[in-house]
């Protein structure tokens, strides 16, 4: 019987109980069986490594540690000084500081990491993704010290890391490639000449690039010159390599990638596809497996070409071959990522394979345990990248701060959360603002999406801005539900930018009725003290209220009557029945409105009684931008918490600012 692999919690929310709690997180495997057994269990007779160092941080470090624990491998975590209390540090058997917060002095500090490897006698290193995961020099230095790199060899890393070389290799392996210039573009004049020969529009991109950096689309000569200048500058600053290539821009494409797995014995498999078309600034936001768009023939052709490329470079490990797919299902090689991909969990869910375990086995020299015919598509999985970002600004600009309250929706079925944070964790300017990867699994796409909707509604994040409202809107958008998507989905679906959920008339009435019922419940509770009326002489109990509820720019009259444990609420001349346990101590409230269940979040309540509610993922609020700071090559917006006049500005453009620094004074 095949097993679809997702993990949840052994019970309870992530809290502050340090090591024990951290080890329990995401420890339970949800195995959903179908036609053939896929074992993700560890065989104790299959010896691999005694100790493994994870050269990474955050959720991916935690992810690797979980599999290592299952396999009986001791783990070593590295960390910067600001990450000393991070979750991955608490989970590992050993942890060593490798430097201060800036990545160049810690997680990219090869000398310091090599010293830790020697000190702890780690036999192998898993690089995760990002940082040193695709750095051929790091892999070479490990090999020279007799330490196993959990990934491909340096030849494959170099070949696939260079977009020009990888495109030539793909052509030779008979992989479909995008028409374009195969060499290095020398200057802006040559860029214009090449662009004219290829035909507009064209994509200008960094040869050593990735993550959406160093990429520009040009529709004419002027944009080509401008794109060449900006892309070369960005490529030089991001990758230390300003070489550019130009190729035909595939308008309105889908971004679909194939997961491959290969060993050192010439065996290679394709583990089906992942649909990654929902993107902002060329960075993925929502992924799913499989894709709604591919038919079996196209899937097989893409898989076979991906395997052909892997074999051409003698690839051995887990890797991902990315393709652009047009509306006619023509597909073109984009790049190969020689590492574990961020979105690998959706593949694990539909195949039952633990990709980290497979990487470790391959690195030790074991052959693959499965044949291509064994690889199933069992059910459907969706992943949302939950970021500390303000989705109302360019679909997401980073937010920094401390997680004052944090509760993952692991009480729901078939939910997996890959995270590396907990309540009290800081989202800093130094690292990627990802909070977690939220994954849901279902027997079909509709079930997986419904579970994702519920999971997003039940995800409690306080202290930083987050993109849950955007994620929720994407997965319920009619175009997304129908599978009518492309890499242009976000700007096409929200041409004026994301504004939050637009309430229908029915949803507006539900929200007004819920808010009114919550208000009355709070009023009734405030009259009681330890179960006794504060004013004992009050004999009668009030059972009806005439209220005015402010929503957005409008004020609405609402009549509320209490009937036993429920409320009858009249809005717009229509009566709605509202029931709930009304546990005001919980951040989550499950409310039933005329038979429809909704999960709302009570975010705050001020001294005057005004309550802020998250309903259908969205909270409506206003703020004036007073200052913008740069973090992780992106911009952070600082928002005024109250109305006032700027009294003084204590920073200037280019200054480095830290937590607690005074930037702007208001009066």
């Amino acid at each position: 019987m095949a097993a679809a692999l997702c993990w949840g919690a052994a019970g309870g929310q992530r809290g502050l109980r340090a090591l024990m709690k951290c080890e329990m997180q995401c420890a339970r495997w949800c195995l959903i069986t179908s036609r053939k057994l896929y074992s993700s269990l560890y065989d104790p007779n299959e010896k691999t490594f005694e100790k493994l160092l994870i050269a990474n941080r955050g959720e991916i470090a935690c992810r690797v540690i979980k599999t290592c624990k299952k396999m009986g491998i001791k783990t070593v975590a590295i960390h910067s000084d600001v990450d000393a209390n991070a979750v991955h540090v608490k989970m590992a058997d050993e942890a060593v500081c490798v430097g201060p917060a800036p990545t160049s002095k810690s997680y990219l500090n090869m000398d310091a990491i090599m010293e830790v490897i020697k000190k702890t006698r780690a036999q192998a290193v898993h690089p995760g993704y990002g940082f040193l995961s695709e750095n051929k020099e790091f892999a070479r230095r490990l090999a020279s010290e007799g330490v196993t790199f959990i990934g491909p060899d340096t030849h494959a890393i170099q070949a696939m890391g260079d977009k020009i070389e990888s495109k030539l290799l793909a052509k030779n392996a008979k992989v479909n490639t995008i028409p374009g210039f195969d060499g290095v573009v020398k200057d802006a004049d040559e860029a214009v000449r090449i662009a004219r020969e290829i035909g507009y529009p064209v994509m200008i991109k960094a040869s050593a690039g990735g993550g959406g950096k160093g990429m520009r689309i040009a529709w004419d000569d002027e944009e080509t010159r401008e794109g060449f200048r900006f892309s070369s500058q960005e490529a030089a600053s991001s990758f230390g390599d300003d070489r550019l290539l130009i190729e035909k821009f595939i308008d309105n494409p889908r971004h679909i990638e194939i997961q491959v797995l290969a060993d050192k014995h010439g065996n290679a498999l394709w583990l089906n596809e992942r649909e990654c078309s929902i993107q902002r600034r060329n960075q993925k936001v929502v992924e799913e497996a499989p894709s709604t768009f591919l038919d079996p023939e196209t899937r097989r052709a893409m898989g076979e070409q991906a395997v052909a490329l892997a074999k051409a470079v003698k690839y051995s490990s887990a890797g991902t071959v990315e393709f652009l797919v047009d509306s006619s299902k023509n597909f073109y090689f984009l790049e190969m990522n020689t590492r574990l991909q961020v979105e690998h969990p959706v593949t694990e869910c539909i195949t039952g394979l633990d990709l980290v375990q497979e990487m470790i086995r391959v690195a030790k020299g074991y052959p693959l345990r499965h044949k291509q015919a064994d690889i199933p598509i069992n059910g459907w999985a969706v992943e949302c990248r939950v970021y500390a970002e303000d989705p109302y600004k360019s679909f997401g600009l980073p937010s920094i701060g401390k997680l004052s309250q944090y509760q993952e929706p692991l009480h729901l079925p078939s939910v997996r959360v890959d995270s590396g944070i907990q309540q009290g964790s800081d989202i800093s300017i130094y690292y990627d603002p990802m909070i977690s990867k939220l994954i849901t699994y279902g027997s079909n796409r509709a079930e997986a999406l419904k579970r994702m909707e519920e999971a997003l509604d039940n995800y409690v994040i306080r202290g930083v801005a987050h993109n849950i409202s955007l994620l929720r809107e994407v997965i319920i958008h009619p175009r997304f539900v129908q599978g009518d998507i492309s890499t242009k989905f976000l700007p096409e679906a929200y041409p004026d930018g994301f504004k939050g959920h637009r309430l229908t008339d029915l949803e507006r009435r539900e929200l007004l009725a819920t808010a009114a019922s919550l208000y009355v419940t709070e009023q009734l509770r405030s009259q009681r003290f330890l179960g006794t009326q504060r004013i004992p002489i009050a004999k009668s109990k009030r059972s009806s209220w005439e209220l005015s509820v402010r929503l957005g720019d409008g004020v609405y009259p609402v009549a509320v009557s209490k009937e036993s444990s429920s409320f009858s609420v009249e809005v717009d001349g229509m009566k709605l029945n509202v029931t709930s346990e009304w546990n005001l101590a919980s951040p989550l409230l499950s409310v039933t409105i005329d038979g429809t269940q909704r999960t709302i979040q009570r975010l705050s309540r001020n001294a005057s009684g005004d309550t802020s509610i998250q309903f259908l993922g969205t909270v409506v609020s206003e703020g004036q931008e007073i200052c913008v700071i740069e973090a992780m090559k992106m911009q952070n917006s600082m928002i005024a918490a109250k109305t006032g006049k700027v009294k003084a500005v204590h920073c200037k453009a280019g200054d480095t600012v830290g937590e607690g620094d005074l930037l702007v004074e208001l009066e």
Side-chain angles (χ1 to χ4, degrees), residues 55-56 78 80 98-114 129-135 138 141 238 431 633:
N56 217 298
I78 60 169
S80 64
V98 288
T103 56
S104 61
K105 298 179 180 179
S106 52
Y107 296 103
L108 292 175
N109 188 342
M110 275 191 261
D111 290 339
I113 295 171
M114 294 302 297
Y129 55 75
F131 293 136
L132 297 172
S133 62
E134 294 177 285
N135 188 301
F138 184 54
R141 289 185 64 173
S238 297
Y431 310 117
K633 295 186 173 61

Side-chain angles (χ1 to χ4, degrees), residues 478-509:
R479 274 187 56 186
F480 183 85
V481 172
Q482 294 164 12
D484 177 20
I485 60 175
S486 73
T487 55
K488 292 184 176 180
F489 175 85
L490 286 178
E492 288 179 351
Y494 309 102
D496 300 321
F498 179 65
K499 306 296 184 183
H501 184 72
R502 300 300 177 91
L503 295 172
T504 65
D505 288 341
L506 174 60
E507 290 169 347
R508 178 180 58 83
R509 288 192 291 269

Side-chain angles (χ1 to χ4, degrees), residues 286-419:
V286 178
E287 302 100 348
E288 60 182 310
S291 168
T292 61
F293 190 61
L294 297 190
D295 54 62
E297 291 73 22
T298 307
R299 176 178 295 115
R300 184 182 308 107
M302 292 176 70
E304 289 174 351
Q305 288 196 17
V307 164
L309 180 60
K311 289 185 174 181
V313 292
K314 296 180 172 57
Y315 195 85
S316 60
S317 191
T320 297
V321 181
E322 299 188 345
F323 293 94
L324 291 181
V325 184
D326 67 19
S327 58
S328 299
K329 298 184 181 176
N330 299 307
F331 58 91
Y332 306 95
F333 170 71
L334 185 62
E335 64 181 356
M336 183 176 188
N337 294 311
T338 57
R339 53 168 167 80
L340 189 65
Q341 202 83 327
V342 176
E343 57 273 16
H344 75 274
V346 292
T347 296
E348 293 184 323
C349 282
I350 68 166
T351 63
L353 293 177
D354 179 340
L355 293 182
V356 174
Q357 179 180 344
E358 297 302 325
M359 293 177 76
I360 293 172
R361 291 186 69 259
V362 167
K364 187 62 176 177
Y366 290 108
L368 298 181
R369 296 178 291 180
H370 311 296
K371 303 296 183 183
Q372 189 62 58
D374 298 330
I375 305 300
I377 296 181
N378 184 33
W380 211 284
V382 179
E383 174 179 290
C384 286
R385 298 192 188 188
V386 181
Y387 280 100
E389 291 181 339
D390 183 351
Y392 301 97
K393 292 187 170 73
S394 302
F395 299 109
L397 290 181
S399 170
I400 58 176
K402 186 183 292 290
L403 290 168
S404 57
Q405 192 170 14
Y406 184 73
Q407 181 176 321
E408 296 173 349
L410 293 169
H411 59 287
L412 300 175
S414 298
V415 171
R416 166 177 169 175
V417 183
D418 282 17
S419 68

Side-chain angles (χ1 to χ4, degrees), residues 472-648:
R472 194 185 191 283
E473 284 303 294
V474 167
I475 65 165
I476 66 171
H477 194 285
R479 274 187 56 186
F480 183 85
V481 172
Q482 294 164 12
D484 177 20
I485 60 175
S486 73
T487 55
K488 292 184 176 180
F489 175 85
L490 286 178
E492 288 179 351
Y494 309 102
D496 300 321
F498 179 65
K499 306 296 184 183
H501 184 72
R502 300 300 177 91
L503 295 172
T504 65
D505 288 341
L506 174 60
E507 290 169 347
R508 178 180 58 83
R509 288 192 291 269
E510 289 180 348
L511 176 54
L512 291 170
T514 300
S517 300
L518 179 59
Y519 173 82
V520 169
T521 300
E522 290 172 335
Q523 293 301 305
L524 292 174
R525 296 281 173 88
S526 68
Q527 295 173 11
R528 300 180 182 276
F529 180 71
L530 296 179
T532 305
Q533 293 288 343
R534 290 182 178 180
I535 307 176
I537 60 173
K539 300 286 185 181
S540 60
K541 290 185 178 180
R542 188 175 179 183
S543 61
S544 63
W545 295 260
E546 298 291 331
L547 305 174
S548 293
V549 180
R550 186 175 67 253
L551 177 60
D553 296 329
V555 178
Y556 302 87
V558 178
V560 183
S561 300
K562 191 172 190 309
E563 300 175 357
S564 185
S565 61
S566 65
F567 293 97
S568 177
V569 185
E570 185 173 334
V571 183
D572 296 341
M574 299 181 63
K575 287 192 175 182
L576 295 87
N577 183 266
V578 182
T579 61
S580 175
E581 293 184 0
W582 302 113
N583 179 7
L584 301 185
S586 171
L588 297 172
L589 288 174
S590 178
V591 180
T592 302
I593 311 156
D594 279 352
T596 300
Q597 191 275 332
R598 303 284 192 192
T599 298
I600 67 168
Q601 296 194 26
R602 182 171 174 265
L603 302 181
S604 63
R605 182 173 185 269
N606 61 24
S608 62
D610 293 334
T611 297
S612 177
I613 296 173
Q614 179 175 305
F615 180 75
L616 300 179
T618 294
V619 183
V620 179
S621 61
E622 295 180 358
Q624 183 180 2
E625 184 177 287
I626 59 172
C627 181
V628 175
I629 65 176
E630 184 178 350
M632 293 299 292
K633 295 186 173 61
M634 299 180 70
Q635 290 183 326
N636 283 334
S637 294
M638 307 295 289
I639 302 297
K642 62 180 181 180
T643 301
K645 183 184 294 184
V646 175
K647 177 182 178 182

